[in-house]
Each structure stands twice: as structure tokens, then as C-alpha cells.
Amino acid sequence: MRPWAIIARKEIKEQLRSRRTFLTLVIVPFLVWVGVGLMHAFLFGSMTPEGPLAAPMDMHLTLLDPEDGNGTFGFLARDIIMSIAANLSVNVHEVSYEEGMKLVEEGETVLYVLIPEDFTENLTSYGFGTIKMWIDPTSPRASTVASAIEAGLSILEQRRYEIRADMRAIRAVPFTFLMLSFMLIFSAMWGPMPVITTSFAGEREKKTLEVLLATPVKRTSILLGKLLAAGFAAAIYMGSSIAGMGVYNWLMAWATAGALAGAESMVLTPEQAAVVIASALLTVLLSASLGIVISCFARTTRDAESYYSALFTLPMMLIAGTAMMRFEDLPLALQAIILAIPFSHGVLMINNSLIYGKPWPVIAASALYMLAWAIGALLVGAKLFEREEIVETRKVRHRKKRIGLLARLRRRS
Amino acid sequence: MDEAVVRLEEVTKRFGPVVAVDRLSLEIVRGEVFGLLGPNGAGKTTTVRMICGLLKPTSGKVFVFGYEMPKDALRARRHIGLLPQESDIYEMLTGRENLEYFGRLYGLEGEELQRRVDEVLKLVGLSERADDRAGEYSGGMKRRLMVARAIVHDPELVILDEPTMGLDVFAVRRIRRLIRRLAEGGRTVLLTTNDLEDAERTCDRVAIIDRGRLIALGTIRELEEKFEERGLEELFIRLVEGEGE
């Protein structure tokens, strides 16, 4: 057996015996998705009119705009609100202005809408009318209903000219596709973390590194063995995440009773599946390679974990952004930053393949960029691993004392 | 192959402004138990690390079995077994798995590997606990397992850096006996220690170093005669204190 295989096998054996591995690589990612699924299922499911979790929400409405001979936009607005409310499983209670304000003051309502008495007059005379809404910010559902009412009332403006918008989707975007890229990259980035941070920093901390380095095994073989073990950890993490994601999808589909079309369908073509797998593998390789560089620097596992978390936070935040929105809609400067960060290309690969159907050279360019970074990081890691500081805690190289500008001037004078 | 298993020629190692080893020259010959003695911070561990090719001398040359270190370290390391001063074992693995792992890294496999693992387990008295997780071992058992790890591939040179540090009297006695047995089997043993009883009971020759410099070299009797002191402890204190003054 090759030395790298011996090292990888031993590392994997240790991982499988560790309770920490079981917790961080199997239980946590699964529970995260199940937890998010439950939260979303209750949130979205309670809003749908027919879902098993549909729970009517109460809101209050006051119409002060009087009816005149020409009809009133206030009554029309009320009808629209009633219609939207029915679609979102919301019970509308009509109350007087005084009752409505009392409910607001006492915090007894989450959404109160007031159609004022000058609503029609303002709309016909000045071209705009104002509807007042009081929303409880702790209720996301109330905010969603308020937004839907605001959007729905915009048809009042169109009504004057009888404009109707016939909206059609440019591309079908199953809900799961949007989540997939983020989920996979998240898993691939964090999956190898416990193994990589404990690899060299952990061996040094546990005082096993010196004896390993004293064996007749090339350091590149040791690196490769550790890298493979990290890949295994990431695969476990990804598998657990995908299982969790399956539960998430099922919960969403069940709770919303099909209202979120496509939530349950995640059928990939072989080409798309290849891109998803390639993207995940490249992300694992990249995070493991960077992790090795970190682990070579860090003295303890805790140090390595801190550096790892710090280094990966920015990409995570940006990836969270790019995973959920169209890349071209971002400002150019942000696009440039995102393109420079290699991890973003994992998301772009998946989104470009699954959602935007971009040509393969675009996807391949992202893959090559990630690969170049991973190889670069590995080379740096290999170089760092050769340093004497790996076994020696004292500073091996002595930095020359820097002479400041003032000191130089003093010397001259 | 050269009769000198280890040869240091004017070896100096600096860490920034600190001189850890200062123009150290010595030879360790085949089949002897050689003690490298010195107080804490004398440069013993740095010397061992240079012999294993883990550190590169700032100047001078280190040869092990005729191979220059660290240039030819991979070849030389096949014949070296190391017990570092501060070391540990893989606690998630059993004692046997720890030894199998290192045996494989040294190229052993199949029946030969199993035979060697069984032999060294018996030698260090861990056969009965071989299949227990190493994390459950006592401090003395762990240290014995580390000694077994250092000799599992049957190396010609065994380097033991403070092998008895922190052990109880029984474990110390067992390790001393083991060192003598290795020497009787034709192995060369380099023992670094500041436990003078270890050295007195096990070493054929000793080198005393202080602040990186060699201050005495020879058999204990030779040194006693040369410096007119009885007992290694008195000799050591006189030489090291003399250096400090």
C-alpha cells in the first residue's frame, strides 16, 4: 500500500471512531436542514390557503373613504385586500378607526390597514392615494401580507388605462435549484474543516507530528493522505446535507401543498449532475488545500479553527448573496470581487449550468480558476510543510532589525 | 557501510540570535549505547532533530549511515527509530493499530508486519492490552508503546529522547532493560537524557553538552579518570557548573 493511502486510511479510521466527527459531519448538517425545513414549512405552509399547516392570520381593516355617485376607489381597494387576504389564508376583520388604533396601541393586531376618507379624492385629483398600514415587525407573515397588499393595490393605477400585465417566467427555476448551489458549496467548504484543522496543527498539538515526519515518507505523500481524508470528511458532510435537504424539500412540498411549484422536483440531467459533482469536488479540494496552508501556520487546533473560520467568512457571505440572485444584477465592483474569490465559482458553475444554461466554456473557465487556486494553495502548503518551523517552535529564521526613517536621519546627522 | 553510524562534523544550529548547537563534533559507532547528556536547553533535542534530518544544520555536516542529513534523509530514516522527547500516540487507535500504522509507513506488510508488531508488543509488555484503545493506556504504558513504535521496523539506530521522563520507577526499570536488550541485539542506541542514573546504567559512552557545546566525551570511567571525579553525577555537576562560571 502506498504511504499516502496508509495515512488516508488511518485518518479515516480515526474520523469514523470519533464522536466529534459523527456530530459535526453527520448530525449537525442533517439537523440544520431539517430545522430550516421545519421553520420554512411552518412559515410558508401557514400562509398557503390549503396546506396542512394553513393557519388563518387575523388582520384588521378600516374603510373611511365614502362612496359617492361615481363609485369609489376605496371600496375597490378593500375588495382587492379581501381577495389577497383570502389567497393568503388571512381573516380580515373590519373595524372602526378608533377600534383599529386601540388594537394597534395595545399590540393586539399584527396588521392594521386604514383606507382614509380622502383616498379617492386624492387619487382622482392628484394621481396618488395613500393607504396606511401598521405592521408588527416581529411577524414575518404580516410583513409578507402587507407587501402583497401593496403590490396588489398597484392595479388601481393601471385600472384607469385598463393596462394588464401578462407576466411569464423566462426560465423555470425550481426552488431547490436556488438552494442547491448554496447548500453544496457550504457543505464542501465546511466539511473538511474539522479534519484539516486537526491534521497538522492537531498532530503538532498532540506531539505526533515529529515522529510522523521522521518516517521515510515524503512530505507530499503525507499531504496527499491528509487531503484524501479531508475529502472523505467532506463527502460525509455533503451526504448528510443532501439527506437533510431531501427532508427539507419533502417538508416544504407537504406544508405548502404544491403552492410553491417545483419545490419537490430536483431532476438533473447527467451533464448538470456532472457539473454539480465537479463543483463540489473542486470546492472540497480548494477548502482542504487552503486548510492545509492554515494548518501549517497554526500552532494549535483552536488557532487553526479560528483562522479557518475567519478566512472563510467573507466568501460565505458573498456566496450566500450570489446563490440567491442573478450575478449580472450585482454592481460591477462587487462582481469583480466575487469573481476574484475562488469559492464563488463553485456557485457560479452550478447556477450557470442549472438555471441559466450557459455554454460549457463559461462553466469550464470557473472550474479551471478554482483548480488553479487549489493547486497553488497545495504548492504553498507543500512548501510550508517543508519548513523547519513545522517541528521547531522557536523562530528558525531571524528577521533583520528594521531601521526606521527617524533612526536613519539621526545616523546621517 | 561506515563503522560510524552517526557522525557530526563541526555542526552548528542557530535559531535567530540563539546558538542551540555550537560546533559539535562526535561519532556514534555501531552497537553502542551512546548517551547525550546535558541540562535542559543544552541542545540535545536539536541535535537529535538534526540527526533525523528534521532540522538542517546552520553550518557543519551530519552523516547517518554515511548519508548526509537532511539531503538523504529519506534513505537514512529507514534505519532510524525515533522516540521524540515530547510525543504522543494516536488515542483513537488501539496499541496494535498504532504500531501497524508506523510499521506500514516503514514498508512492513503482511505476515512480517504482524510478526514484528507481536514481537515488540511482547518486548514492551503490552501484548495483553494491545487491542485496547491507546487513549485508555496509563502514562507508562503510552511511553512503552512509543518505544515499541520506535523499534517496530527493527531499526539499526534507535534514538530515544528522554525515554524515562515522567515515568514511575517500574516503567523506568523496564525501559532501561529494554535499552540494554536492544544493544545486546546489535542495535545502536542514542539516548538523550538529563537523568544521570539512566546514563550510568545503560550507556557505553557519553557526551556531555552544555549550551550547545561539547564539554566531555568518552566512557564514564574515562571521564572519571580524566576529571578525577567519582560518579557521573559529581562529574556532570562539576563540568556543567564550570561551564556556567
Side-chain angles (χ1 to χ4, degrees):
Chain A
M1 198 187 277
R2 297 276 196 183
W4 53 262
I6 297 168
I7 292 166
R9 200 173 85 159
K10 171 251 165 193
E11 298 274 327
I12 289 168
K13 195 182 273 184
E14 281 187 310
Q15 283 174 38
L16 293 175
R17 286 182 187 173
S18 161
R19 277 188 205 154
R20 185 186 166 189
T21 306
F22 186 66
L23 191 71
T24 56
L25 298 183
V26 181
I27 300 294
V28 170
F30 181 79
L31 286 185
V32 162
W33 282 102
V34 172
V36 172
L38 280 171
M39 191 181 78
H40 283 181
F42 279 112
L43 185 67
F44 295 116
S46 62
M47 285 187 201
T48 53
E50 290 169 12
L53 299 174
M57 182 188 101
D58 290 317
M59 64 167 278
H60 297 88
L61 173 73
T62 302
L63 172 63
L64 295 177
D65 191 23
E67 193 173 13
D68 62 14
N70 299 323
T72 170
F73 284 109
F75 276 83
L76 184 59
R78 188 188 66 175
D79 290 346
I80 291 168
I81 290 169
M82 292 290 191
S83 163
I84 289 167
N87 278 336
L88 294 173
S89 188
V90 176
N91 292 330
V92 182
H93 304 280
E94 290 201 63
V95 293
S96 68
Y97 173 68
E98 289 74 22
E99 284 171 333
M101 289 315 294
K102 193 177 173 213
L103 287 168
V104 168
E105 279 164 19
E106 290 175 354
E108 292 297 322
T109 184
V110 290
L111 180 61
Y112 172 53
V113 180
L114 171 68
I115 303 170
E117 53 194 357
D118 55 357
F119 181 68
T120 301
E121 190 187 337
N122 281 342
L123 205 60
T124 49
S125 306
Y126 308 114
F128 70 89
T130 304
I131 280 182
K132 292 179 180 174
M133 289 196 269
W134 284 262
I135 309 154
D136 183 346
T138 62
S139 168
R141 195 170 168 198
S143 304
T144 309
V145 173
S147 299
I149 290 172
E150 190 187 6
L153 289 176
S154 65
I155 64 164
L156 281 178
E157 187 187 6
Q158 293 157 11
R159 186 180 160 82
R160 183 179 284 190
Y161 306 102
E162 293 294 330
I163 298 169
R164 287 181 187 170
D166 180 8
M167 291 191 279
R168 293 176 192 192
I170 293 169
R171 54 177 65 87
V173 186
F175 189 66
T176 44
F177 277 13
L178 285 170
M179 303 293 283
L180 182 70
S181 57
F182 179 63
M183 186 272 293
L184 269 178
I185 303 306
F186 186 88
S187 302
M189 276 171 75
W190 288 105
M193 200 266 263
V195 176
I196 278 294
T197 50
T198 52
S199 59
F200 300 114
E203 290 236 30
R204 186 160 34 196
E205 195 176 30
K206 291 277 292 163
K207 317 281 185 200
T208 48
L209 187 60
E210 188 171 346
V211 75
L212 177 64
L213 296 179
T215 59
V217 176
K218 285 183 186 167
R219 296 202 180 181
T220 45
S221 289
I222 298 175
L223 274 178
L224 185 58
K226 301 266 185 191
L227 200 64
L228 286 173
F232 177 79
I236 295 179
Y237 192 97
M238 250 186 262
S240 179
S241 297
I242 288 168
M245 181 82 175
V247 176
Y248 175 94
N249 281 345
W250 179 83
L251 277 169
M252 286 292 283
W254 168 75
T256 57
L260 291 172
E264 71 276 36
S265 65
M266 198 174 67
V267 181
L268 303 178
T269 65
E271 291 81 9
Q272 287 174 332
V275 171
V276 171
I277 292 166
S279 163
L281 285 177
L282 282 167
T283 309
V284 168
L285 181 67
L286 188 59
S287 58
S289 309
L290 289 173
I292 281 172
V293 174
I294 291 167
S295 201
C296 285
F297 272 120
R299 292 254 163 253
T300 63
T301 307
R302 187 173 283 189
D303 283 353
E305 282 173 355
S306 303
Y307 300 154
Y308 196 96
S309 302
L311 187 78
F312 284 47
T313 300
L314 178 66
M316 284 305 302
M317 288 166 71
L318 287 169
I319 286 167
T322 51
M324 299 294 174
M325 65 190 294
R326 194 176 150 83
F327 181 71
E328 284 79 2
D329 290 347
L330 298 167
L332 272 177
L334 192 56
Q335 281 187 30
I337 292 169
I338 288 171
L339 282 175
I341 295 172
F343 286 110
S344 311
H345 289 263
V347 175
L348 290 175
M349 275 176 76
I350 295 177
N351 286 355
N352 283 340
S353 168
L354 268 57
I355 298 172
Y356 302 114
K358 292 259 173 90
W360 70 265
V362 176
I363 297 160
S366 283
L368 284 174
Y369 185 73
M370 289 177 80
L371 190 63
W373 262 87
I375 291 170
L378 269 181
L379 291 174
V380 171
K383 204 76 191 159
L384 287 171
F385 196 38
E386 294 287 344
R387 294 182 320 156
E388 292 183 340
E389 281 89 339
I390 282 288
V391 286
E392 181 54 56
T393 49
R394 283 173 286 193
K395 275 206 181 295
V396 175
R397 274 165 274 276
H398 181 52
R399 237 183 235 175
K400 280 183 185 168
K401 203 177 172 184
R402 285 189 179 173
I403 303 166
L405 193 61
L406 276 173
R408 283 185 195 180
L409 286 172
R410 261 187 226 134
R411 271 190 189 179
R412 281 190 185 176
S413 63
Chain B
M1 209 176 269
D2 201 338
E3 191 56 25
V5 171
V6 177
R7 195 167 72 242
L8 272 66
E9 294 176 356
E10 288 284 306
V11 173
T12 298
K13 181 66 189 176
R14 288 173 182 275
F15 296 109
V18 178
V19 182
V21 175
D22 192 5
R23 287 169 291 149
L24 181 64
S25 295
L26 56 86
E27 280 189 0
I28 302 170
V29 295
R30 192 177 300 277
E32 73 172 336
V33 179
F34 187 91
L36 190 59
L37 316 181
N40 291 335
K44 302 186 296 291
T45 298
T46 303
T47 305
V48 163
R49 284 175 174 170
M50 285 192 288
I51 290 170
C52 293
L54 295 171
L55 293 177
K56 190 180 176 186
T58 310
S59 65
K61 287 186 187 249
V62 177
F63 294 95
V64 178
F65 298 106
Y67 298 116
E68 189 179 345
M69 304 297 265
K71 208 170 74 180
D72 296 321
L74 286 183
R75 283 189 216 168
R77 280 181 194 149
R78 291 210 165 274
H79 311 284
I80 303 174
L82 171 68
L83 168 65
Q85 181 184 350
E86 287 186 331
S87 188
D88 208 341
I89 45 179
Y90 296 112
E91 296 192 343
M92 283 292 177
L93 305 183
T94 65
R96 181 183 297 281
E97 285 169 339
N98 266 282
L99 298 180
E100 284 173 349
Y101 174 58
F102 279 93
R104 285 195 185 98
L105 290 179
Y106 280 96
L108 299 179
E109 51 190 21
E111 280 181 19
E112 191 193 3
L113 174 68
Q114 293 312 319
R115 184 181 55 78
R116 276 301 300 165
V117 168
D118 287 336
E119 266 176 31
V120 292
L121 280 168
K122 197 175 167 191
L123 200 65
V124 298
L126 285 175
S127 297
E128 285 182 10
R129 299 286 305 272
D131 296 315
D132 291 353
R133 287 254 178 110
E136 295 164 9
Y137 285 8
S138 67
M141 287 166 74
K142 281 182 182 175
R143 201 69 180 157
R144 269 147 60 197
L145 183 64
M146 286 177 225
V147 174
R149 181 179 66 189
I151 58 175
V152 67
H153 56 293
D154 199 13
E156 290 172 64
L157 170 64
V158 182
I159 301 174
L160 306 172
D161 195 355
E162 307 277 6
T164 56
M165 194 172 61
L167 296 184
D168 65 36
V169 66
F170 302 104
V172 168
R173 181 173 284 192
R174 195 186 271 270
I175 285 178
R176 281 179 190 156
R177 220 181 291 149
L178 186 69
I179 292 168
R180 283 312 321 168
R181 205 180 291 177
L182 285 170
E184 283 158 21
R187 306 282 165 264
T188 307
V189 180
L190 167 57
L191 174 73
T192 79
T193 184
N194 50 23
D195 183 332
L196 301 176
E197 204 181 332
D198 269 355
E200 224 160 8
R201 285 173 184 264
T202 54
C203 295
D204 300 313
R205 282 198 309 144
V206 295
I208 300 175
I209 59 170
D210 186 28
R211 280 172 286 176
R213 274 180 294 165
L214 181 70
I215 52 177
L217 174 68
T219 64
I220 294 172
R221 184 164 295 177
E222 281 170 2
L223 296 182
E224 282 174 342
E225 282 172 12
K226 186 177 175 186
F227 295 100
E228 295 173 349
E229 283 285 358
R230 279 196 65 79
L232 188 59
E233 192 173 325
E234 294 303 317
L235 180 70
F236 181 83
I237 289 169
R238 186 183 137 192
L239 289 173
V240 173
E241 278 188 346
E243 279 291 301
E245 281 164 5

